[in-house]
Each structure stands twice: as structure tokens, then as C-alpha cells.
């Protein structure tokens, strides 16, 4: 699986270079570019050289964010809030291409490293917050898995579908073990995933709450952030579950209670939701309906794509484009803003809500 993922990233890099070399990012805009795009990020922090960093795809540097905002402005595009993006999406005539910036989970580095860059560019942004992270009750299980494998020379687990065992002495062995175990657990029930990673973290002496404390902003920081200029706070469910893996009453509670809790804690209306993980296996038509019923004005997925006029009728299933830590280059950014990769990915469909 590791070699497959590596091949996939090499293919993406090659495609971005081909688009740049042919100038397709410019001449293809009329075919592939929508009215705007919602970009999504997670961690923003200075580069650290690490041989084993399986979650690096979720991490961009402040310098790349700075270059991203400069390129967007340089192309004559507008950077807008999510509320403004929805207004522009509903207008009968398209205006200038717009970009909305979103950050998932509520990481400390978003305030320490991203916010100064955003403020320097006068760029509005949305922070999607999981209350369970703010109060240290939810789990950053993907980071737990990384930290556990980093600490252990060998991984051994008893799983419902059979045992898992791998040597994890070298960085290469750790990468292979992480990929194999991650995707095996992702395919099954979330309860199995959480239990297995909790077991592994226990073996490695990794404390879940301490990891969340290290990475995520607490309530007091969020309260000071509430109402700040150009900052919108949205909900990211109560505990960050893959909603589609759970019964409807659990998914409904996760969505509705996150809105209510954030509004109570911050004294602000919470209008927008981001589905955790956000792929079709984590959020689908059932979740879109639940978000609408909970009173959210919009909800965003991680299904890749730009925003087109028909999305005005699907505001609870909006696509986003991830800024991937493995592709922090101008050619990648230009390709993503052109819309061409998604014309291929979505097989010509502008709206993908099934």
C-alpha cells in the first residue's frame, strides 16, 4: 500500500507538471473552472525533516500558505469568507473567481503560524472546531497511530479479522506498517479502529489527552478568537467520527450538538459544518440531510472539486480542494485553481453528491 500511495503522489506531481508545461492551467479555465473554490488545510507549521511522517499530507508550511495567498491575489482572484462564497454562488451572473479558506480540527498552529500570514494578506478564513478536541475528550487517532508506531520497534495487535504484526525498527518499516494498518482499520467499524489504536498507544505509552492538549486549542483560546475580524468559526461535529459508519441517531447527535455547544461556549451563531474525513465513506446523502435539519446554512465535504452554479442547490454537500503537504508547489496550486484535475477526477460531472 505504501508503494501504491507513493506512486499515486508521483502521478499527481507528474500531472501538475504537465499542466504547467502546456499552459493548460490558463487555457483550460474556461472549460474546467467554476465560480470559485473552497480550499482546506489542517496543520500549518514550519518544515521539520522527519523520515517517518505519514500524516505530512495534512501539513503545509507558513511559507507555502504565504505563496498561495500571493498567487491567488496575483491572479486577480478574490479571497472571501464562506458566507460571501454562498452569496456569490447564488447570484444569477458569475463575478470574479473566488477562493474561500478553511482549516479543520482546531489546531494551535493555525493560530501560531497561519493566522499571522492570513492577517498580513487581509484574508478571511474559517476554522472548523471539534468541541471534543477543545475539551480534551475526543481523540486524534491518526496522530496516536503515528506516535505509537514511531515509538515501537514492533507492532502486534489482535483484531477481529485476524492478527496484525509488523517490525517497525526503520523509517521504511514504520511507513509500511502505518499504511497497512491505517487502511485496514479504516475499512472496518470505527469502534474497532479506536480500540486497536488505543491498545497500540497503550503499548507505546502515548496518552491520548496529552496529544490533544499539545495539538489543539482549548476553549479559552477559542473564546478569545470568537468575533475576531475575518475569522469565522464553524462546527466539525462533537468528537470527529466518520459519521456514515454510525447509526442515524449518533450522526444526528454529533452534528446538532456540535452546533449547540459551540454557540453556547462562544456566543456566536454557528452557520457552517465540515464533515470529519469528509469522503463518500464518511459523509453521504443521509449526513447532508442531517446537517440541513440541524440548521446549518452550509456543510463542506472533502470530495474534490470546484463550486459551480448547481451547487447553490446542494449547500450541504459542498466540495473542497485540499492543499496537500506532499505537493507544496506553484505548479500544483495553479493546476488545482484551474479546475482541470477535477474535470478528470469527477468524470466531467460538476456536482458529485451521491
Amino acid at each position: 500500500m505504501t508503494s501504491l500511495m507513493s506512486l499515486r503522489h508521483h502521478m499527481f506531481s507528474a500531472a501538475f507538471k504537465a499542466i504547467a508545461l502546456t499552459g493548460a492551467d490558463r487555457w483550460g479555465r474556461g472549460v474546467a473552472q467554476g465560480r470559485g473554490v473552497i480550499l482546506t488545510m489542517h496543520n500549518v507549521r514550519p518544515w521539520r525533516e522527519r523520515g517517518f511522517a505519514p500524516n505530512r499530507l495534512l501539513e503545509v508550511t507558513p511559507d507555502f500558505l504565504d505563496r498561495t495567498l500571493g498567487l491567488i491575489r496575483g491572479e486577480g482572484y478574490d479571497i472571501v469568507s464562506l458566507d460571501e462564497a454562498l452569496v456569490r454562488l447564488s447570484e444569477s451572473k458569475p463575478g470574479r473567481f473566488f477562493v474561500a479558506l478553511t482549516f479543520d480540527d482546531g489546531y494551535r498552529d493555525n493560530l501560531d503560524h497561519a493566522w499571522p500570514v492570513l492577517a498580513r494578506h487581509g484574508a478571511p478564513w474559517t476554522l472548523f472546531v471539534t468541541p471534543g478536541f477543545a475539551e480534551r475528550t475526543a481523540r486524534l487517532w491518526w496522530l496516536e497511530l503515528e506516535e505509537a508506531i514511531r515509538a515501537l520497534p514492533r507492532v502486534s495487535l489482535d483484531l477481529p479479522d485476524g492478527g496484525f504484526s509488523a517490525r517497525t525498527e526503520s523509517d521504511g518499516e514504520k511507513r509500511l506498517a502505518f499504511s497497512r494498518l491505517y487502511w485496514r482499520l479504516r475499512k472496518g467499524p470505527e469502534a474497532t479502529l479506536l480500540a486497536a489504536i488505543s491498545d497500540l498507544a497503550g503499548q507505546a505509552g502515548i496518552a491520548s489527552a496529552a496529544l490533544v492538549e499539545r495539538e489543539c486549542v482549548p476553549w479559552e483560546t477559542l473564546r478569545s478568537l470568537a468575533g475576531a475580524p475575518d475569522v469565522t468559526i464553524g462546527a466539525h461535529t462533537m468528537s470527529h467520527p466518520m459519521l456514515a459508519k454510525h447509526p442515524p441517531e449518533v450522526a444526528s447527535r454529533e452534528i446538532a450538538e456540535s452546533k449547540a455547544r459551540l454557540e453556547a461556549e462562544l456566543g456566536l451563531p454557528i452557520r457552517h459544518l465540515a464533515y470529519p474525513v469528509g469522503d463518500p465513506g464518511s459523509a453521504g446523502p443521509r449526513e447532508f440531510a442531517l446537517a440541513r435539519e440541524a440548521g446549518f446554512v452550509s456543510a463542506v465535504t472533502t470530495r474534490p472539486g470546484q463550486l459551480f452554479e448547481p451547487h447553490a442547490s446542494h449547500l450541504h454537500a459542498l466540495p473542497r480542494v485540499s492543499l496537500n503537504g506532499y505537493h507544496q508547489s506553484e505548479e500544483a496550486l495553479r493546476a488545482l485553481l484551474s479546475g482541470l484535475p477535477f474535470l478528470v477526477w469527477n468524470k466531467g460531472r460538476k456536482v458529485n453528491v451521491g
Side-chain angles (χ1 to χ4, degrees):
M1 181 63 75
T2 296
S3 60
L4 180 61
M5 292 299 291
S6 178
L7 176 62
R8 185 177 179 183
H9 288 305
H10 282 306
M11 289 174 62
F12 283 144
S13 293
F16 295 149
K17 289 179 181 178
I19 289 173
L21 286 172
T22 60
D25 59 297
R26 294 190 179 278
W27 58 255
R29 291 177 185 175
V31 176
Q33 198 173 58
R35 290 194 170 190
V37 66
I38 303 172
L39 298 181
T40 181
M41 288 161 273
H42 289 80
N43 294 108
V44 179
R45 55 195 177 198
W47 174 264
R48 292 179 295 163
E49 188 57 54
R50 292 165 290 164
F52 172 63
N55 288 300
R56 178 161 279 161
L57 77 165
L58 300 176
E59 178 181 324
V60 299
T61 67
D63 176 67
F64 180 65
L65 177 60
D66 183 61
R67 288 184 285 126
T68 294
L69 300 180
L71 187 149
I72 292 169
R73 297 283 199 204
E75 289 294 314
Y77 300 150
D78 293 334
I79 302 176
V80 304
S81 67
L82 264 184
D83 285 315
E84 176 64 18
L86 300 188
V87 170
R88 295 194 181 199
L89 194 56
S90 67
E91 291 175 344
S92 57
K93 293 184 179 180
R96 288 204 300 187
F97 186 81
F98 62 84
V99 179
L101 306 169
T102 65
F103 298 78
D104 286 6
D105 299 338
Y107 293 110
R108 292 180 184 272
D109 58 47
N110 291 176
L111 276 63
D112 295 339
H113 298 296
W115 197 6
V117 177
L118 294 159
R120 190 163 62 247
H121 285 268
W125 56 291
T126 296
L127 181 67
F128 285 114
V129 173
T130 297
F133 293 153
E135 61 196 20
R136 305 346 190 189
T137 56
R139 292 172 56 190
L140 296 163
W141 57 261
W142 54 99
L143 290 183
E144 288 180 39
L145 181 59
E146 175 180 343
E147 295 290 346
I149 291 177
R150 176 176 289 111
L152 293 170
R154 186 171 193 83
V155 170
S156 182
L157 287 170
D158 291 323
L159 300 173
D161 60 350
F164 179 90
S165 181
R167 191 171 68 178
T168 51
E169 296 178 359
S170 69
D171 287 340
E173 290 170 342
K174 292 180 188 295
R175 285 192 293 270
L176 180 59
F178 181 96
S179 184
R180 286 175 54 208
L181 185 55
Y182 176 93
W183 289 110
R184 180 169 165 181
L185 293 173
R186 274 284 304 271
K187 291 177 182 178
E190 191 161 12
T192 299
L193 177 150
L194 293 173
I197 295 177
S198 181
D199 183 355
L200 206 60
Q203 295 177 38
I206 304 298
S208 172
L211 191 58
V212 178
E213 174 66 28
R214 186 189 80 188
E215 296 292 332
C216 296
V217 293
W219 280 122
E220 54 265 31
T221 304
L222 289 169
R223 292 188 192 103
S224 66
L225 182 65
D230 288 333
V231 180
T232 298
I233 294 179
H236 201 32
T237 71
M238 282 298 297
S239 65
H240 202 278
M242 290 174 274
L243 293 166
K245 289 179 174 286
H246 296 271
E249 61 272 15
V250 173
S252 177
R253 183 169 63 249
E254 282 279 345
I255 291 170
E257 288 188 6
S258 67
K259 185 178 193 298
R261 184 64 183 279
L262 285 166
E263 289 179 339
E265 291 285 348
L266 305 181
L268 292 173
I270 302 298
R271 295 164 47 83
H272 309 285
L273 171 76
Y275 304 107
V277 184
D279 64 347
S282 304
R286 185 192 74 173
E287 288 67 42
F288 305 157
L290 290 174
R292 184 171 55 251
E293 292 166 7
F296 286 100
V297 175
S298 79
V300 296
T301 70
T302 58
R303 300 181 188 216
Q306 297 202 349
L307 298 174
F308 295 89
E309 183 179 359
H311 281 111
S313 299
H314 300 280
L315 294 181
H316 298 87
L318 296 177
R320 288 191 291 175
V321 171
S322 175
L323 292 190
N324 190 302
Y326 292 131
H327 305 289
Q328 298 184 64
S329 68
E330 180 177 327
E331 58 195 15
L333 180 59
R334 287 188 180 278
L336 296 175
L337 293 175
S338 76
L340 283 171
F342 315 116
L343 187 68
V344 177
W345 182 276
N346 292 317
K347 300 177 181 178
R349 293 176 298 176
K350 293 182 177 180
V351 177
N352 179 18
V353 297

